[in-house]
Amino acid sequence: ESHYFLKEKLLIDSVLNRPGKMLNFIFDEETQTDIRIDENKIENGFLFMVEAFEKPNNSGVAWYYGSDHDSTTFLGEYHGLPVGIYNVGDDKSLFVTSIPFYYLESAPAKNLVHDILRNKFGEYYVDIPELSDQKQPVVKAYPNPVKERLNLSWGFSYQGLAILEIYDNQGHQVATKKYAVKKSDQKVSIGTGHLTPGVYLYKLLFGDKSASGKFILK
């Protein structure tokens, strides 16, 4: 029954978990990227007991087992075997990994998750700083999709500085604009003609509060 679940549901033919193997990093062959174990979390810089997968027939490999020991030795035997696989389907997409992300270097591990969501599954997740006050004002963005100009409107009274920030689908800030808002003003706008088509996230700050959302640029 467990083999059926692995093969039919998780698309894993078999799992290798012989004790004593040493994982120091994971790597992506396509981008030539390594993510190492964070020595601030594990002093010796390696993990034991990390499972590897047989190379799948029907799934893609996102990340591979990396060991500083030669693959012909007992400790490095799993080097080059999959530890993260993905499958993109019509009704659902799947990513399975044996890696405890907590023990990896934090920033590249975060980028790893973003890469899976964005480039493998087509999700547009943008990570931007959140304010401590989680009570967000309601802002409407229109038209959506946008062609040349994005409008943002709200139905509450505010006077002061409003700051609009726009991020692309990789989390890079691509535009910012400041507005001196009067109480009678309940709308701001920004030109988008200099941006390339795609999915963007806006963040509009009103003092110590903010509102955010997505829009599509045609």
Side-chain angles (χ1 to χ4, degrees), residues 172-190:
H172 302 133
Q173 186 173 331
V174 295
T176 183
K177 190 172 181 179
K178 297 180 180 180
Y179 307 86
V181 176
K182 301 176 182 178
K183 285 186 177 180
S184 58
D185 297 332
Q186 293 187 330
K187 172 186 171 183
V188 295
S189 65
I190 187 171

Side-chain angles (χ1 to χ4, degrees), residues 141-166:
Y142 64 95
N144 196 0
V146 181
K147 287 187 177 180
E148 295 292 336
R149 180 164 290 274
L150 174 69
N151 302 303
L152 299 166
S153 65
W154 56 92
F156 53 88
S157 178
Y158 173 77
Q159 180 170 313
L161 180 66
I163 302 173
L164 175 61
E165 299 172 349
I166 296 180

Side-chain angles (χ1 to χ4, degrees), residues 62-188:
W63 289 86
Y64 293 87
Y65 193 112
S67 177
D68 289 337
H69 293 267
D70 191 276
S71 60
T72 61
T73 66
F74 176 79
L75 291 175
E77 185 179 358
Y78 288 174
H79 181 85
L81 291 176
V83 290
I85 65 172
Y86 65 93
N87 184 277
V88 180
D90 294 332
D91 56 343
K92 64 179 179 180
S93 297
L94 175 73
F95 173 63
V96 181
T97 181
S98 59
I99 297 297
F101 283 179
Y102 170 78
Y103 295 106
L104 298 176
E105 297 171 330
S106 298
K110 192 181 207 179
N111 291 334
L112 181 160
V113 176
H114 289 191
D115 175 71
I116 294 294
L117 290 172
R118 183 171 58 243
N119 297 326
K120 302 296 190 299
F121 296 162
E123 298 288 341
Y124 293 97
Y125 171 72
V126 179
D127 185 30
I128 60 175
E130 292 297 333
L131 296 179
S132 58
D133 188 343
Q134 297 299 311
K135 187 177 180 181
Q136 294 187 335
V138 176
V139 170
K140 179 182 178 182
Y142 64 95
N144 196 0
V146 181
K147 287 187 177 180
E148 295 292 336
R149 180 164 290 274
L150 174 69
N151 302 303
L152 299 166
S153 65
W154 56 92
F156 53 88
S157 178
Y158 173 77
Q159 180 170 313
L161 180 66
I163 302 173
L164 175 61
E165 299 172 349
I166 296 180
Y167 298 80
D168 65 17
N169 63 9
Q170 297 185 38
H172 302 133
Q173 186 173 331
V174 295
T176 183
K177 190 172 181 179
K178 297 180 180 180
Y179 307 86
V181 176
K182 301 176 182 178
K183 285 186 177 180
S184 58
D185 297 332
Q186 293 187 330
K187 172 186 171 183
V188 295

Side-chain angles (χ1 to χ4, degrees), residues 4-14 54 56-59 85-88 94 96:
Y4 169 83
F5 179 77
L6 287 173
K7 190 173 182 63
E8 301 299 326
K9 300 300 183 182
L10 299 184
L11 306 176
I12 299 171
D13 290 330
S14 61
E54 292 282 3
N57 294 322
N58 300 318
S59 302
I85 65 172
Y86 65 93
N87 184 277
V88 180
L94 175 73
V96 181

